[in-house]
Structures are given as C-alpha cells and as structure tokens.
Amino acid sequence: MTLLHLFDLDGTLMYGSAAPVEISRQLGLSAEIAELERAFGAQMMGPHQFSVAAHALWADLTPAHVRAAFDGAPWLTGIQDVWREIRERGDYCAVISLSPSFFVEMLLEWGAHAAHGSVFPEVPFTRPVEEAGILTPEGKVRVADRLCAEFGVSRSDCVAYGDSGTDVMLFEAVPVSVAVNARPFLAERATHVYEGRDLREAYQLVGLRRPGVDAS
C-alpha cells in the first residue's frame, strides 16, 4: 500500500515560527507581522484578510529577502532525510500550507513531491493578492484530495502532520495524523503526538504502520 504524507509548514516543519514571520524578519517588520498573527490566531481575520495585509506589509520584498528567510528559518532537523526515505519506500510526500506559495514551493528543492501554498503574485509584487488563490483549512482538504487523485491513492492512504487549528479538518479527513509541537486541542485529535525538533522522530511514530493495517 502506497502512502501519501501531508505536511503542514508553519509550526510543523518550522519550529516555533512561520513563513510570514521569517519573511517579515528580513524586512525589519517583526512587530507588524506579530500583530497580524495575533489577529489571525484570535480569528479576528480570515486567511484572505491576513494575506492581503501581509502582501501590503511586504511591498519592498525581493527574491533575496525570500531566500534569506528560507535559509535562516528554524527548520526541524531531518526533513530531507525523512522525505528521502519516503521516496525510497515508494511513498509520496507533499506540503500543504496557508503560507505564500512563493515560499512553500521552495520546499520542492528538499525533495517534496508537491508543495501547495496560498497563491501570491511573483516577487517583487506588481499585482494584488486574489482571494480565490488563498488557501483555507477546508482548502487544505481539497488540495489533499487532488493530490490523492494525482498519485493514485485515497484518503485512507494518507498521513497528516500539523500543529494548529488550520489542520483540524485535514486530521479529521485522514486515518493517521501526527501532531507536531501542536496546540492541545489538535494533539487531542491526533493519532500520534510529537514534541521536539527532529522530524525523523515524528516520522518514526508512524513507522511501518499502514493506515487500516495492523502493524503486528
């Protein structure tokens, strides 16, 4: 049975941080993005409102800023090792994140089969953000379904890794889930719970177990 491993990015692959935070740090706008993050976390704004506000905040963003943000982010250890092992086993790995596509897609360099984020215009910005391209928690499930069709698997063959409320719907849609440095309410809904900074350890919680198959 072939598995599809679905990884969130912010707070999951990245320890204690998020792509918008790391991007804003490069522009000296940490306080401003922190305010937006607080509003989003308190559900005072939705994904589209957050994206529009971040887009405006990043008016001076360049590709060099994006690369520096990616290279300097607090990534978990072992991401490329895990994805290499997934590939060697004949399984698939993908990233689905509400963060900007221009950042998320850089993870293709590390071996992900697919990487989907909220669709932002190319950097530097000359166009606005379009609401239709911004991912939502429900949108994560729709992307997962498209990936299942692309890779010839079903939801029952998926493992989801996440950390926050934006991952709840995906956790509910698949049989195996791993809460990585997660909020308590998500951890309570997960098959496995991991606290730490090494993705290899989180991945090992799933082990050789296939969804719906007794590991013994």
Side-chain angles (χ1 to χ4, degrees):
M1 182 185 297
T2 300
L3 292 185
L4 170 57
H5 295 261
L6 301 166
F7 295 89
D8 172 55
L9 191 162
D10 302 321
T12 302
L13 295 177
M14 193 182 290
Y15 186 84
S17 191
V21 172
E22 297 304 315
I23 292 167
S24 299
R25 192 191 314 279
Q26 295 299 319
L27 295 166
L29 297 169
S30 294
E32 290 83 351
I33 199 67
E35 189 61 34
L36 292 182
E37 291 275 355
R38 280 192 291 271
F40 181 74
Q43 299 183 332
M44 295 170 61
M45 60 169 54
H48 179 243
Q49 291 171 299
F50 179 91
S51 296
V52 169
H55 176 274
L57 196 63
W58 300 334
D60 297 325
L61 189 64
T62 68
H65 289 129
V66 178
R67 171 54 66 181
F70 185 89
D71 291 345
W75 299 105
L76 264 62
T77 302
I79 295 173
Q80 295 180 64
D81 294 336
V82 168
W83 292 352
R84 185 181 306 112
E85 181 174 336
I86 288 171
R87 282 178 170 270
E88 289 173 351
R89 292 180 60 183
D91 292 335
Y92 297 100
C93 53
V95 181
I96 308 176
S97 171
L98 272 60
S99 277
S101 51
F102 61 77
F103 190 97
V104 179
E105 290 167 5
M106 295 176 79
L107 286 165
L108 294 171
E109 301 171 5
W110 286 6
H113 287 92
H116 292 268
S118 290
V119 179
F120 269 61
E122 59 278 0
V123 177
F125 299 140
T126 59
R127 296 181 291 110
V129 174
E130 296 184 7
E131 183 172 4
I134 302 304
L135 275 186
T136 62
E138 300 90 341
K140 280 192 168 189
V141 178
R142 290 193 291 271
V143 171
D145 285 339
R146 292 202 301 269
L147 290 172
C148 283
E150 178 180 344
F151 296 131
V153 300
S154 68
R155 287 187 184 182
S156 62
D157 305 314
C158 292
V159 180
Y161 303 74
D163 77 304
S164 70
T166 62
D167 302 305
V168 169
M169 290 186 177
L170 189 56
F171 273 36
E172 292 174 344
V174 303
V176 178
S177 55
V178 183
V180 180
N181 299 315
R183 276 70 163 178
F185 64 85
L186 187 71
E188 292 168 359
R189 292 165 169 77
T191 312
H192 306 285
V193 176
Y194 174 71
E195 295 284 338
R197 299 194 180 198
D198 193 329
L199 189 65
R200 292 167 295 196
E201 296 171 352
Y203 174 68
Q204 287 166 6
L205 294 176
V206 178
L208 297 176
R209 181 178 182 274
R210 288 324 202 222
V213 178
D214 190 327
S216 63

